[in-house]
Amino acid sequence: MVRCLSASKSLRTLKLERFGITSTCLDFPHLKSLTLHDGTFCSYPPKDILVDYFSKCPSLETLKISEYSLVCRYRYGDLQRSQKLSALKSLSLHTVKFIDSYNNNLPINLFSSFVSLENLELTECSLMFGCDFIISNPRLVNLKLSLLTWVWGSEKNKHVIVSTPNLAYLKLEFERSVNLNLSIDNLTRLDTVIMRIMKSPIYIRSMNEENMDDYFGKLANLFQGFITAKSLYMSTNTIKFLNIFADKLHNQICPFNNLENLKLQVSSTDEVYDIYVSVSREVVRYLFSGSPKLKEKEMALVFA
């Protein structure tokens, strides 16, 4: 069926569900939007999914892949030399495994060839390599990173580095804690940040001091990257994390210089009593003291 569709060279939009895709299937020179859901990619030897499978779709602007059994293999230098998918503006990947096939331990800038990329969403993706993962697209405006995990070995010495000068919107979601060494740099135009920790941090109190220091270090480092943000939305569990580390916040400088709106989001999955989460004085000082435009009374409760 896909081969028959390939004969339609004028096709602009295509959605495929429960299809097995090979590297020779997709040949749509004028295709603008492609959605793939609930299927598999079949190729031997394995190819770099984002470059090779869509090389005959040069006009593609929107690509969404979800619930697919696929592996995105990577060899250092291949993507930098490639100009395929140069028209791509929006990319959404769900449950994708990124693998460094050659284990060269060099930083991976997986999306660097997508020179027009403006919107990037990575949800429940697995990072399966022993090096830093870089996102540095110069035109990227909106970025969502949700429930990313390192699969092989410890993530202690690995970093997810976000360095995109035009980024305006950043949404971060973690399951239990800030489990990634997420470094944010050069976000000079960052306007809106959504920060969500999905589950209650009660278990952290039983951890040893070293692990608690590691968790706090990741959280504090992450917040320091929000310095230009004007609007910050936080889940109740994020506030709970800050409350746990209230004694460590005493020596921390408020990371928000331009904050105008601070809102506490209560998700429909939260317990009812989470609506009444308290905020310690140290947390209030940490969040408010550096933002002259933001008053404590302006903290709002928003149902997400």
Side-chain angles (χ1 to χ4, degrees):
M1 183 175 184
V2 174
R3 290 183 179 179
C4 294
L5 288 173
S6 296
S8 178
K9 301 296 183 180
S10 61
L11 197 64
R12 295 293 191 273
T13 302
L14 178 62
K15 180 176 181 180
L16 298 176
E17 295 190 14
R18 298 181 181 179
F19 272 92
I21 307 297
T22 71
S23 58
T24 58
C25 276
L26 303 177
D27 184 5
F28 305 107
H30 300 292
L31 190 67
K32 296 291 185 180
S33 177
L34 174 62
T35 300
L36 304 176
H37 176 71
D38 190 16
T40 58
F41 284 88
C42 310
S43 176
Y44 187 83
K47 297 179 178 293
D48 170 18
I49 189 69
L50 295 179
V51 173
D52 295 325
Y53 280 90
F54 308 107
S55 61
K56 295 183 179 180
C57 303
S59 301
L60 194 62
E61 295 181 356
T62 301
L63 175 61
K64 298 179 181 180
I65 303 175
S66 62
E67 301 300 331
Y68 252 73
S69 174
L70 69 95
V71 172
C72 180
R73 292 186 170 273
Y74 173 85
R75 182 172 60 190
Y76 184 76
D78 284 358
L79 296 180
Q80 281 78 358
R81 291 192 297 269
S82 173
Q83 293 300 313
K84 300 169 184 176
L85 292 182
S86 60
L88 192 67
K89 293 182 178 180
S90 295
L91 175 63
S92 176
L93 302 177
H94 185 274
T95 60
V96 176
K97 295 179 180 179
F98 296 107
I99 294 181
D100 176 10
S101 300
Y102 295 83
N103 195 28
N104 49 39
N105 292 324
L106 295 171
I108 291 182
N109 195 342
L110 194 64
F111 312 109
S112 61
S113 65
F114 309 151
V115 295
S116 300
L117 194 65
E118 297 177 358
N119 306 291
L120 176 61
E121 180 177 339
L122 305 179
T123 302
E124 296 184 31
C125 293
S126 302
L127 310 178
M128 304 177 71
F129 35 72
C131 55
D132 291 344
F133 182 60
I134 301 173
I135 300 174
S136 62
N137 304 72
R139 296 187 181 182
L140 195 65
V141 176
N142 302 302
L143 174 63
K144 177 183 177 182
L145 303 178
S146 178
L147 306 179
L148 299 188
T149 57
W150 292 104
V151 175
W152 285 344
S154 170
E155 76 279 1
K156 197 167 187 178
N157 297 317
K158 308 169 192 173
H159 294 80
V160 176
I161 300 171
V162 179
S163 181
T164 52
N166 289 307
L167 194 70
Y169 175 90
L170 175 63
K171 184 173 183 178
L172 302 171
E173 294 182 328
F174 305 94
E175 183 176 14
R176 289 183 175 271
S177 66
V178 180
N179 63 320
L180 298 174
N181 287 313
L182 188 57
S183 299
I184 296 178
D185 184 34
N186 195 30
L187 305 189
T188 57
R189 298 187 180 183
L190 187 62
D191 182 85
T192 301
V193 175
I194 297 177
M195 172 79 177
R196 295 190 63 204
I197 296 175
M198 313 296 282
K199 296 185 178 180
S200 175
I202 295 175
Y203 71 97
I204 281 188
R205 295 185 185 276
S206 63
M207 288 190 168
N208 60 44
E209 189 68 22
E210 182 180 356
N211 286 336
M212 289 189 70
D213 287 344
D214 180 55
Y215 276 17
F216 174 73
K218 291 175 182 177
L219 187 62
N221 178 66
L222 182 59
F223 271 75
Q224 289 299 322
F226 301 157
I227 189 169
T228 63
K230 294 181 180 179
S231 297
L232 174 64
Y233 299 80
M234 291 192 299
S235 66
T236 54
N237 284 328
T238 306
I239 292 293
K240 288 180 180 179
F241 263 90
L242 292 175
N243 282 338
I244 289 175
F245 298 120
D247 59 328
K248 298 180 183 296
L249 291 174
H250 182 72
N251 297 320
Q252 291 288 321
I253 299 174
C254 175
F256 310 111
N257 292 343
N258 300 306
L259 203 61
E260 298 178 5
N261 302 292
L262 175 60
K263 296 185 178 181
L264 182 62
Q265 290 188 316
V266 180
S267 172
S268 59
T269 59
D270 289 336
E271 298 290 342
V272 174
Y273 60 78
D274 283 343
I275 297 176
Y276 307 103
V277 64
S278 61
V279 185
S280 72
R281 290 185 178 182
E282 285 299 332
V283 172
V284 171
R285 182 204 62 80
Y286 178 68
L287 296 175
F288 290 94
S289 62
S291 304
K293 296 182 180 180
L294 186 67
K295 305 297 182 182
E296 292 182 20
K297 64 181 181 180
E298 292 176 346
M299 178 178 278
L301 185 64
V302 177
F303 288 87

